[in-house]
Amino acid sequence: MRLDTLWPSHPRALHAAGPILNFETWGLSGTLATENPDDLGVATQRLWYWIGAIDNACNRFRPDSEISTLNRHQAAPMPVSTTFELALAAALRAGELSAGLCDPTVLPALLALGYDRDFDVVARQRCVVAGPAAPAPGVDAIHWDRSRHTVTLADGCTIDLGASAKALVTDLVADEFVTHGGIVVEIGGDVAVRGRGPDGPWAIGVSDSLTITGREPRVSLENGGVATSSTTARSWVASERVVNHIIDPRTGTCARGPYATATVAAGDCVAANAFATAALLWGDDAGYHIAQAGHSARLVRLDGTVEFVGGWPAEAVLA
């Protein structure tokens, strides 16, 4: 899902009078927009504060990050920052919401598939050899002592908080800013919305790929979060087969279900991201689980068939 801030002619779209910031972080594109033109500077400051804080805490590709240090510091308690605890709490919440399918202990499975460097580097490799698959240790291998602000990983357990961290950033920025007025924050297809845009609800363009044509269907949103997960947007070749970054913690293998893309709208972006990711692992039961939780979704099957769940709003498409 991409934020639609560039199509002012559509009657439900955000008129482009509002200030817009396009940026890149973690190899992903992002968009920030505020209801009031004078507030974009404040929002931008908070955006880069939280991107920096989460990067220091959770970037597994940085050897000096907290998560890299923790993954080397197994079987002994390690003091962690408040930011790290926020990210860990978000990841554990995502696990609870998804009945365990969003699991931060799947890092060994990702590494076994060759995802051990920035994605742009991995995607260019042609000779990645996949290692053996094994179930993830599970969150019981993470001991978080909240009173002492320490985390201990069981022997052999390593974690990756990236799946929920970018969704968390959008929620944190939006929640901090909301007293100033309406805001929308998008990072790599994870969107948090609080309040209204300059002329009404924000308009979100829904894309099934990283290529934006300007003809994507759009939905309007005033408060909440929307997230898209895909088995095709981040895929690469390992051991002569196409693999992706959506890992099933029950097996340690990547998603092979009937859906290529899942877009979910929920009360916040962390929840939306959790359900979108789990949808690709639930298979044909995805719609049931999403509807039972009270959320809406747009699911795209591998053959391109689109299914709507839980009152997903009617879409309009630019000709």
Side-chain angles (χ1 to χ4, degrees):
M1 169 163 291
R2 296 302 307 275
L3 174 64
D4 173 5
T5 54
L6 303 177
W7 301 325
S9 61
H10 190 276
R12 294 181 64 195
L14 163 67
H15 287 263
I20 300 165
L21 172 71
N22 295 306
F23 62 93
E24 291 189 4
T25 187
W26 300 316
L28 303 166
S29 61
T31 311
L32 174 69
T34 57
E35 177 184 6
N36 301 311
D38 294 339
D39 290 332
L40 184 61
V42 174
T44 301
Q45 182 184 48
R46 300 316 299 162
L47 171 73
W48 288 114
Y49 169 82
W50 281 115
I51 286 175
I54 291 294
D55 192 72
N56 288 332
C58 304
N59 188 341
R60 69 178 174 94
F61 300 113
R62 282 183 49 177
D64 61 338
S65 69
E66 285 186 80
I67 198 165
S68 294
T69 303
L70 177 63
N71 284 335
R72 297 190 300 264
H73 198 74
Q74 295 176 11
M78 186 182 110
V80 293
S81 68
T82 300
T83 300
F84 187 93
E85 290 186 294
L86 284 172
L88 180 58
L92 296 178
R93 178 180 171 231
E96 293 173 358
L97 292 172
S98 63
L101 290 183
C102 293
D103 189 328
T105 70
V106 297
L107 179 56
L110 283 170
L111 297 178
L113 289 175
Y115 196 177
D116 56 354
R117 289 149 289 176
D118 285 335
F119 179 74
D120 288 344
V121 178
V122 173
R124 291 195 300 266
Q125 300 298 309
R126 296 298 178 188
C127 56
V128 175
V129 178
V139 295
D140 288 344
I142 304 171
H143 178 66
W144 176 15
D145 189 328
R146 289 167 172 81
S147 63
R148 291 183 170 84
H149 306 288
T150 63
V151 176
T152 309
L153 301 181
D155 188 33
C157 173
T158 54
I159 63 174
D160 178 12
L161 304 180
S164 52
K166 63 186 174 72
L168 174 63
V169 169
T170 68
D171 280 331
L172 288 170
V173 175
D175 286 339
E176 278 196 352
F177 181 84
V178 71
T179 56
H180 294 270
I183 185 173
V184 61
V185 191
E186 179 251 341
I187 300 177
D190 285 355
V191 185
V193 173
R194 305 291 186 271
R196 297 166 65 86
D199 299 305
W202 299 98
I204 308 297
V206 183
S207 175
D208 301 329
S209 73
L210 296 179
T211 301
I212 307 303
T213 66
R215 296 188 297 274
E216 287 77 17
R218 286 163 280 166
V219 294
S220 60
L221 188 66
E222 192 163 327
N223 283 287
V226 185
T228 295
S229 290
S230 172
T231 59
T232 59
R234 289 208 166 204
S235 61
W236 64 98
V237 176
S239 295
E240 301 183 346
R241 65 187 180 98
V242 178
V243 297
N244 61 73
H245 71 297
I246 307 296
I247 301 297
D248 189 334
R250 298 167 296 189
T251 62
T253 59
C254 61
R256 298 289 183 189
Y259 296 108
T261 305
T263 301
V264 177
D268 57 76
C269 194
V270 168
N273 178 274
F275 278 93
T277 300
L280 300 178
L281 299 170
W282 273 320
D284 289 319
D285 293 332
Y288 169 81
H289 290 292
I290 293 167
Q292 284 293 102
H295 304 317
S296 302
R298 179 183 188 270
L299 308 176
V300 182
R301 288 186 175 269
L302 296 173
D303 64 2
T305 302
V306 180
E307 301 173 1
F308 301 106
V309 177
W312 182 270
E315 296 178 345
V317 183
L318 284 183

